[in-house]
């Protein structure tokens, strides 16, 4: 149980385009999902908390107009990187709390974004 | 603000030896402390967690200890194997019942055969 999927696993795009990343909880409902960014050999940096049916809560320094988050259902949250630039290239990982095990977070497999 | 410090950043041990990774946290309201293992290019996998109502938890070769007074918690891996080689992250929950986790900087563990 507690399986989280992410799509796509890898994406290459041109500067100026937008990229959407999907995070799905496959066997449970997640009222809260989290989006992280991870640079090579570094820790997980929380970008925002995605709440089903309401606006996301962004961490300090994360541009909400740049990283659009939508959590339209209990099993799906999306992160859209708008007007991507090369500095947005990174590994983006989502996680979800299954609601039955307290604050345990289960991670998706991640999406590697390369902006040319 | 909330902060989790993790040491060491790298750790190399011989197969069969023990490995210890230590973390300290700043928010005294934190009460949940998970440990994740991340292999290169893969997702972090929860390996063990502990809540503040206990001081120690063990699962086969892995154990975690918690000292709430000192705001320290540690991961202990005994009888290490090459497949234990990975990056390990500690985390502590943030205050305010948000479900947020604050992660340490990570420890790269290398187990030499």
């Amino acid at each position: 149980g507690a399986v989280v999927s992410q799509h796509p696993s890898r994406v290459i795009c041109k500067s100026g385009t937008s990229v959407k990343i999907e995070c799905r909880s496959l066997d449970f409902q997640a009222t809260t999902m989290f989006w992280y960014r991870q640079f090579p050999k570094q820790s997980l940096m929380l970008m925002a908390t995605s709440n089903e049916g309401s606006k996301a809560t962004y961490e300090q320094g994360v541009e909400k107009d740049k990283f659009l988050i939508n959590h339209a259902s209990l099993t799906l949250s999306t992160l859209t990187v708008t007007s991507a630039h090369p500095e947005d290239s990174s590994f983006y990982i989502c996680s979800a709390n299954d609601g039955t095990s307290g604050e345990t977070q289960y991670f998706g497999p991640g999406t590697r974004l390369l902006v040319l | 603000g909330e902060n989790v410090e993790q040491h060491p950043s790298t750790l190399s041990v011989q197969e069969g030896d023990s490995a210890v990774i230590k973390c300290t946290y700043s928010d005294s309201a934190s009460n949940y402390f998970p440990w994740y293992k991340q292999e290169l290019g893969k997702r972090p996998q929860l390996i063990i967690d502990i809540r503040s109502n206990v001081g120690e938890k063990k699962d086969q070769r892995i154990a975690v200890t918690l000292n709430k007074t000192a705001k320290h918690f540690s991961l202990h891996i005994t009888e290490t194997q090459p497949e234990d080689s990975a990056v390990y992250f500690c985390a502590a929950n943030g205050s305010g019942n948000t479900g947020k986790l604050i992660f340490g900087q990570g420890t790269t563990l290398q187990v030499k055969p």
Side-chain angles (χ1 to χ4, degrees):
Chain A
V3 178
V4 178
S5 71
Q6 223 174 302
H7 179 82
S9 59
R10 184 183 295 266
V11 58
I12 301 173
C13 70
K14 294 181 178 179
S15 281
T17 60
S18 294
V19 174
K20 181 186 283 189
I21 302 170
E22 293 185 348
C23 179
R24 293 182 185 272
S25 56
L26 297 186
D27 52 359
F28 64 99
Q29 294 183 328
T31 54
T32 305
M33 292 182 172
F34 303 89
W35 287 96
Y36 294 86
R37 186 172 179 175
Q38 187 175 34
F39 291 104
K41 299 187 178 181
Q42 292 193 24
S43 188
L44 297 148
M45 184 193 81
L46 179 65
M47 299 174 67
T49 302
S50 173
N51 304 297
E52 187 269 335
S54 64
K55 291 182 179 180
T57 304
Y58 289 81
E59 294 299 301
Q60 193 172 10
V62 178
E63 299 175 62
K64 61 180 180 181
D65 295 330
K66 171 78 172 173
F67 299 101
L68 300 178
I69 290 172
N70 184 276
H71 195 151
S73 78
L74 286 171
T75 59
L76 173 65
S77 174
T78 60
L79 168 69
T80 301
V81 183
T82 63
S83 187
H85 289 107
E87 55 266 32
D88 298 324
S89 299
S90 192
F91 193 50
Y92 292 88
I93 314 179
C94 70
S95 71
N97 179 304
D98 71 358
T100 62
S101 51
E103 290 162 289
T104 302
Q105 289 184 23
Y106 298 94
F107 284 85
T111 296
R112 190 160 299 284
L113 170 64
L114 177 61
V115 184
L116 302 177
Chain B
E2 301 155 330
N3 189 44
V4 175
E5 295 287 333
Q6 183 171 346
H7 298 281
S9 57
T10 60
L11 179 60
S12 181
V13 300
Q14 209 65 37
E15 181 176 2
D17 287 350
S18 295
V20 180
I21 302 171
K22 298 182 179 182
C23 288
T24 60
Y25 60 98
S26 61
D27 189 347
S28 56
S30 295
N31 58 9
Y32 174 64
F33 309 93
W35 286 88
Y36 287 86
K37 174 184 179 182
Q38 186 179 29
E39 297 177 359
L40 190 62
K42 302 286 181 65
R43 76 183 83 197
Q45 298 269 19
L46 178 72
I47 56 172
I48 196 167
D49 57 12
I50 192 168
R51 298 185 187 275
S52 59
N53 56 343
V54 297
E56 185 173 355
K57 185 177 177 181
K58 191 173 182 181
D59 182 3
Q60 299 183 343
R61 297 187 296 108
I62 295 173
V64 57
T65 58
L66 171 66
N67 182 329
K68 281 221 72 177
T69 303
K71 292 191 278 189
H72 289 173
F73 58 113
S74 300
L75 178 72
H76 305 251
I77 306 175
T78 58
E79 301 171 32
T80 53
Q81 301 165 2
E83 49 266 38
D84 294 330
S85 297
V87 180
Y88 291 81
F89 292 100
C90 64
N93 62 334
S95 58
N97 203 29
T98 61
K100 284 169 49 174
L101 292 177
I102 312 301
F103 282 84
Q105 296 87 344
T107 296
T108 301
L109 172 64
Q110 182 187 25
V111 180
K112 298 178 182 177

